[in-house]
Amino acid sequence: MLELLLQQAVNGLTQGMAYALVALGLTMIFGVLHIINFSHGELYMLGGLMAVVATTMLGLPYGLALVLAVVAVVAIAALVDLVAVRPVLPTKDGPSTVLLSTFAVSLLLHQSVLSTWGPNPSRVEGLAGSLSLGPIVITNHRLLVLVSGVVILLAIEYVLRRTLVGRRIRAVAQSEFAAQVVGIDVARIRTLTFLGAAAIAAIAGALIAPVSLFTPSMGQHAIITAFVVVVIGGMGNATGAVVCGLLLGLLEALASAFMPQDMGTAVIYALLLIFLLIRPQGLFAGRAR
Amino acid sequence: MRRILIVMALALAVAAPFLLAGQSYYSGLLAYAAVLAIFGLSINLTVGYLGLISFGHAAFFGLGAYVAGLAIVNFGVNYWVTLLFAPIPAALLGALVGFASVRLGGAYFAIATLTTAEILRLVVSNWIDLTRGPLGLIVRRPRVETLESLGLVFHQYYLLATLLGLGLAVLIVHRLLESPTGRSWKVIRESNALAESIGIPTMRQRVMAIALSGGLAGFAGVLFIPRTLVLTPDLFNPMLSATGLLIAILGGKGTLIGPLLGGAIFAALPETLRFVDEYRIAIFALILLAVIRIQPAGLAPLFHLTRPFRTPGAPAKGGEIAFEPSPRLVVTDLTKRFGGLTAVDNVSMTIEPGELVGIIGPNGAGKTTCLSLISGFTPPTAGEIRYGERKVTGDSPSSLVNEGLARTFQQAALCGSQTVFENVLAATSCPEPASLLSSVLRGPGWRAREARRVRRAWECLAFVGLTERAALEAGSLPYGEQKMLAIAVSLATQPRLLMLDEPAAGLNHTEANRLADLLRSLRQRGLTIVLVDHNLRMMMALCDRIIVLDRGRLIAQGTPAEIQADKAVIAAYLGGYTAEEAQNA
């Protein structure tokens, strides 16, 4: 039993890393643009789709598929930004209208893929081989997901803290007005953040596809889970998003040992309502900012 | 013109079941349009009137349908009876989701509804013992023998029922919109703080409106049953929520006719789009995107189908406004810290009934913070506020206004796109409230109170001299008149103690004199007034007593003459620090 739980925990952490990356992008966009990008989950799904297309249809090696996924998804995200975010944001009721327009985009992306690709799951060949740690087996691909996840998180931390672009992003997040006063091109920083978050989502999608199969509906599940993560972690709180993403992945995997998978999902979704009711500021809101 | 259109629509609706006697296909389509219109109407309540986007109204629609379906299948309840009770759980769910999410802001409501719909879909799909899961719950066609013996066919009286349901829903929403409830929705949409300041309990009003919206969606769900006859988890599908949202937005946010237009379009659209079946929803998404970008107000304004507000006639004989005496307001050791900054530091004061008290002090002295603390907009760090016998520390602003403790804002807060009269009328529901139910039923008692509300609004407008401006948009008034209007709005709440935050700021000399006359006249009528302003000449001439704040502390109080002679006050205003104080400062 313990072994099963440990095995599930390792699997859950892998999935949790994907949730963490998607939620991190969502919360970054919220922090800088003050909008909720509803289409973010579909960008993650498209990352997975690109991995399928590149490996099974084009026969490319997996490493190249990752690169292709990022490039393609960033290009699509640029289009989304151009059509549904950038021109809508300055209008009356901007942020809530962006919520609507990105909702429309998410429907469009999801339905287009569903209608052309079909609802069935597709396999993706990731890294082969596996590693045994006593009774627990961890595939090399899961290891890759975990390691790349950590590397990406460290890279984001480095960019935000140590580079000029990162300082500009943080300046815009704190006060757009003040950022403008000191000569920062706010619109450019917004777009940059949006595309950066899209790239992270694409990598997450392409990384997780070999683990949990690709389906066109993986984006819908991911966006709701990311919302749960972001609400529990505190809206706009990056650390909260990462920690809660990993925790939820873990929880989902452990729950699936005790109940049907769908019910586990329902329980996790219900956490959102519970947190909204009893601790709306999130778990990590202790420190005032 | 509009009236003729309504009569024609009603006549057509009554005749439709008979005109379509042999046409069960078109009759079914029309019934479906009516169901969708009710659904769109319910979403429009939150999206259009409250400004809260919903991505999961299918949760309420599906819940209504499933509650009815389960009652029919398991307990043999007659379908037509379920229409009466099956929407109730949906309304309760609406209240719960609304309560959980709206205090955090609009986006959370969208997420919470979406998540709720997904939870219900997952539960219904997997609780096979109860719902038969994806196989679906099968409901028999609810035939009515009596009607059939009269020669009516099922599709005829089903259509009649849906049209009746739609008529009922439109009537309810229409009556609510032109009642204190609907007026409060519009103010809440404009600004939460403004709504609280005129005595509207914003949280309760919002939760009630969302519950109503949930109930209506549930009602639409129950009405949908005879068309589908098989209830599957697809009822909770995000697609259905998206369709409803699109109906409300395409038709026209915040209009009554919009959802009707949208409902008709979306009943017919899938039929015309059959050749691109698989891409239908993608096309919906494109339409939604196009509407947001090109015509965000939807179709209704294009056809000039919305009616501007009609100002009711002024009463022949202008009444006089009078005020009830205020109890004593006692503030003890009030303190407010923002991080390291102490904005208000151990301030104690008493406002006696009938007084006109001025609060003055240099910029940053904590005058406005003091008002915000007393009026409940900012929670104090420490201290106590008593109004009469009651301790009111920590009460919501709206409940204080209902006690008679009202305030105005430095920047005149108004609903700029509504008329001057509407602005005042919205505030009259504080002294003359109306319940949701009474506003729908509109009995003689309600009508008498509505007449009193209208009269009071006219009286307040007349008092500040804006009668002539009643039908203009509030946002189009010049600055000075907007400030006067803001005072009229506060007066409409029938305050006993009114706190005015810099009413003279930005007024020219003539306007300031008129304001002073107005305040004197209010005081003669028994209103207790606390006045914060920088116009010292006016303050000295007007006030019975003056309180001086400096750097958060109360440094002096007394008659204008005493204050003018006070050393500490002169020091605070002219910066006459001693060397020691300068170092500490």
Side-chain angles (χ1 to χ4, degrees):
Chain A
M1 186 64 196
L2 183 68
E3 284 155 23
L4 174 72
L5 285 182
L6 276 175
Q7 184 67 51
Q8 286 289 56
V10 170
N11 295 354
L13 273 183
T14 330
Q15 183 64 55
M17 186 57 88
Y19 293 153
L21 291 177
V22 174
L24 182 64
L26 198 67
T27 213
M28 266 168 60
I29 294 178
F30 181 80
V32 177
L33 284 81
H34 309 292
I35 58 160
I36 287 172
N37 173 22
F38 200 87
S39 62
H40 202 66
E42 303 308 328
L43 298 177
Y44 163 81
M45 179 273 287
L46 286 177
L49 177 68
M50 288 304 146
V52 180
V53 170
T55 53
T56 57
M57 290 177 73
L58 303 177
L60 296 175
Y62 183 74
L64 219 54
L66 272 180
V67 177
L68 184 74
V70 171
V71 172
V73 170
V74 166
I76 293 170
L79 199 65
V80 172
D81 183 42
L82 212 60
V83 173
V85 180
R86 212 196 276 213
V88 181
L89 198 52
T91 57
K92 186 170 171 280
D93 286 338
S96 71
T97 317
V98 170
L99 185 62
L100 271 178
S101 62
T102 54
F103 176 65
V105 166
S106 90
L107 281 185
L108 186 63
L109 294 176
H110 176 235
Q111 283 299 321
S112 308
V113 172
L114 190 65
S115 321
T116 44
W117 194 262
N120 294 330
S122 319
R123 279 182 57 83
V124 182
E125 289 302 324
L127 288 192
S130 60
L131 195 73
S132 297
L133 295 170
I136 304 158
V137 180
I138 172 164
T139 63
N140 286 347
H141 191 86
R142 283 188 190 277
L143 213 55
L144 174 72
V145 175
L146 289 173
V147 172
S148 344
V150 172
V151 169
I152 292 170
L153 292 177
L154 290 177
I156 294 171
E157 177 73 11
Y158 177 80
V159 169
L160 285 180
R161 300 278 152 207
R162 293 294 154 86
T163 65
L164 186 61
V165 176
R167 276 198 288 273
R168 285 184 176 157
I169 291 176
R170 284 189 294 139
V172 174
Q174 268 200 1
S175 162
E176 278 176 25
F177 179 71
Q180 226 152 16
V181 168
V182 297
I184 295 173
D185 184 348
V186 172
R188 211 178 125 251
I189 293 296
R190 282 192 194 137
T191 301
L192 215 61
T193 309
F194 194 84
L195 297 186
I200 300 168
I203 296 181
L207 278 175
I208 208 69
V211 176
S212 55
L213 301 179
F214 165 81
T215 69
S217 61
M218 68 192 261
Q220 290 198 328
H221 173 60
I223 190 73
I224 301 182
T225 310
F227 282 142
V228 182
V229 168
V230 167
V231 165
I232 297 179
M235 196 66 109
N237 184 331
T239 321
V242 173
V243 174
C244 290
L246 290 172
L247 278 179
L248 272 199
L250 210 57
L251 190 67
E252 193 180 48
L254 294 180
S256 74
F258 300 103
M259 56 178 96
Q261 199 186 357
D262 274 358
M263 282 305 187
T265 309
V267 168
I268 285 182
Y269 289 176
L271 282 179
L272 178 116
L273 295 181
I274 293 166
F275 264 82
L276 284 182
L277 275 172
I278 59 172
R279 198 175 161 81
Q281 70 276 36
L283 270 184
F284 296 89
R287 287 162 296 165
R289 306 217 283 168
Chain B
M1 178 61 193
R2 196 168 172 277
R3 183 153 292 192
I4 298 170
L5 273 178
I6 291 174
V7 170
M8 269 170 58
L10 279 178
L12 259 181
V14 173
F18 305 98
L19 293 176
L20 294 172
Q23 305 277 345
S24 67
Y25 174 76
Y26 288 107
S27 151
L29 212 55
L30 192 55
Y32 183 45
V35 170
L36 284 184
I38 299 173
F39 188 43
L41 205 61
S42 95
I43 294 185
N44 203 17
L45 273 187
T46 64
V47 175
Y49 296 109
L50 295 179
L52 294 170
I53 295 168
S54 160
F55 289 152
H57 252 60
F60 310 122
F61 186 90
L63 185 62
Y66 261 97
V67 167
L70 289 173
I72 294 165
V73 171
N74 293 335
F75 303 106
V77 180
N78 185 323
Y79 166 75
W80 302 100
V81 177
T82 63
L83 278 169
L84 299 176
F85 68 84
I88 294 171
L92 294 178
L93 182 68
L96 179 75
V97 174
F99 177 73
S101 58
V102 293
R103 53 197 164 140
L104 296 167
Y108 286 89
F109 180 68
I111 296 167
T113 50
L114 173 79
T115 312
T116 308
E118 277 299 291
I119 294 171
L120 285 175
R121 191 178 66 80
L122 290 168
V123 170
V124 166
S125 307
N126 287 281
W127 196 345
I128 311 245
D129 297 341
L130 184 71
T131 63
R132 302 193 355 120
L135 286 177
L137 205 62
I138 296 164
V139 178
R140 286 232 318 269
R141 179 169 285 189
R143 301 173 70 157
V144 183
E145 297 292 335
T146 7
L147 289 174
E148 301 208 349
S149 66
L150 292 171
L152 281 174
V153 195
F154 177 76
H155 74 80
Q156 283 179 303
Y157 57 79
Y158 171 53
L159 174 59
L160 204 59
T162 55
L163 290 175
L164 266 176
L166 176 60
L168 188 69
V170 169
L171 185 74
I172 289 175
V173 175
H174 171 73
R175 290 200 155 177
L176 283 180
L177 284 176
E178 294 188 2
S179 80
T181 308
R183 287 170 208 143
S184 73
W185 293 345
K186 288 184 196 160
V187 184
I188 291 170
R189 208 201 141 164
E190 184 76 24
S191 151
N192 216 47
L194 173 61
E196 283 282 336
S197 81
I198 60 171
I200 296 169
T202 50
M203 183 74 190
R204 207 176 72 204
Q205 283 288 356
R206 276 184 162 153
V207 169
M208 260 166 44
I210 295 168
L212 181 71
S213 168
L216 266 183
F219 181 62
V222 184
L223 270 180
F224 184 58
I225 293 178
R227 180 164 166 90
T228 161
L229 295 180
V230 183
L231 308 183
T232 65
D234 278 347
L235 282 172
F236 298 101
N237 204 308
M239 272 10 293
L240 184 64
S241 302
T243 307
L245 186 64
L246 194 45
I247 288 171
I249 289 176
L250 178 68
K253 272 188 289 182
T255 65
L256 257 183
I257 192 84
L260 273 61
L261 286 176
I265 293 172
F266 275 87
L269 201 59
E271 307 299 322
T272 51
L273 287 179
R274 195 158 268 176
F275 64 101
V276 285
D277 199 35
E278 289 191 352
Y279 294 91
R280 207 173 68 207
I281 293 154
I283 290 173
F284 280 17
L286 276 179
I287 297 175
L288 180 56
L289 204 53
V291 173
I292 294 167
R293 288 292 306 276
I294 300 162
Q295 179 64 21
L299 293 177
L302 291 181
F303 298 112
H304 302 285
L305 288 172
T306 47
R307 190 182 59 174
F309 178 77
R310 243 193 340 218
T311 312
K317 191 163 60 77
E320 284 288 308
I321 52 175
F323 301 92
E324 286 169 33
S326 168
R328 176 180 287 127
L329 175 75
V330 182
V331 174
T332 321
D333 297 335
L334 200 60
T335 299
K336 179 67 190 178
R337 286 190 206 95
F338 295 106
L341 176 84
T342 307
V344 173
D345 192 357
N346 261 316
V347 168
S348 299
M349 60 171 97
T350 305
I351 309 292
E352 300 291 340
E355 260 191 321
L356 201 171
V357 179
I359 300 181
I360 62 171
N363 282 328
K367 305 181 295 292
T368 297
T369 310
C370 224
L371 278 202
S372 293
L373 292 173
I374 297 172
S375 57
F377 279 90
T378 313
T381 312
E384 191 190 76
I385 302 159
R386 279 184 172 277
Y387 191 52
E389 297 299 301
R390 248 165 53 80
K391 182 173 165 226
V392 295
T393 331
D395 281 14
S396 74
S398 58
S399 70
L400 290 175
V401 176
N402 281 295
E403 292 277 318
L405 193 65
R407 74 167 291 184
T408 66
F409 295 97
Q410 217 164 334
Q411 296 292 328
L414 298 165
C415 295
S417 58
Q418 293 185 38
T419 68
V420 167
F421 189 81
E422 278 181 286
N423 269 280
V424 185
L425 188 60
T428 56
S429 41
C430 180
E432 296 282 355
S435 73
L436 208 79
L437 193 63
S438 73
S439 291
V440 172
L441 298 178
R442 300 205 166 178
W446 186 90
R447 287 202 298 272
R449 275 199 302 279
E450 178 72 0
R452 281 206 292 279
R453 284 190 281 268
V454 169
R455 197 166 62 229
R456 175 147 193 97
W458 277 118
E459 285 165 6
C460 294
L461 271 185
F463 187 77
V464 300
L466 287 176
T467 313
E468 307 292 310
R469 302 270 191 267
L472 296 181
E473 258 188 23
S476 71
L477 294 186
Y479 185 72
E481 291 188 343
Q482 289 197 14
K483 293 209 106 166
M484 287 297 177
L485 176 56
I487 293 177
V489 169
S490 283
L491 293 180
T493 65
Q494 194 129 24
R496 296 190 284 178
L497 193 161
L498 181 60
M499 297 184 283
L500 298 135
D501 196 1
E502 303 204 11
L507 298 190
N508 63 34
H509 190 65
T510 334
E511 287 170 331
N513 280 342
R514 278 207 47 223
L515 176 73
D517 290 342
L518 194 86
L519 293 177
R520 255 186 224 109
S521 150
L522 280 175
R523 186 180 158 230
Q524 271 164 16
R525 282 155 215 261
L527 185 65
T528 308
I529 299 176
V530 174
L531 189 57
V532 169
D533 212 283
H534 280 298
N535 186 338
L536 290 184
R537 191 186 303 258
M538 182 183 85
M539 297 291 267
M540 294 300 169
L542 204 60
C543 298
D544 303 318
R545 187 156 65 89
I546 286 185
I547 291 170
V548 188
L549 295 183
D550 182 34
R551 283 175 282 169
R553 263 181 245 138
L554 192 154
I555 57 169
Q557 56 177 320
T559 63
E562 287 165 10
I563 292 299
Q564 277 166 337
D566 192 296
K567 286 217 175 73
V569 176
I570 296 169
Y573 265 90
L574 301 179
Y577 295 115
T578 64
E580 191 193 355
E581 269 176 347
Q583 248 162 18
N584 291 340

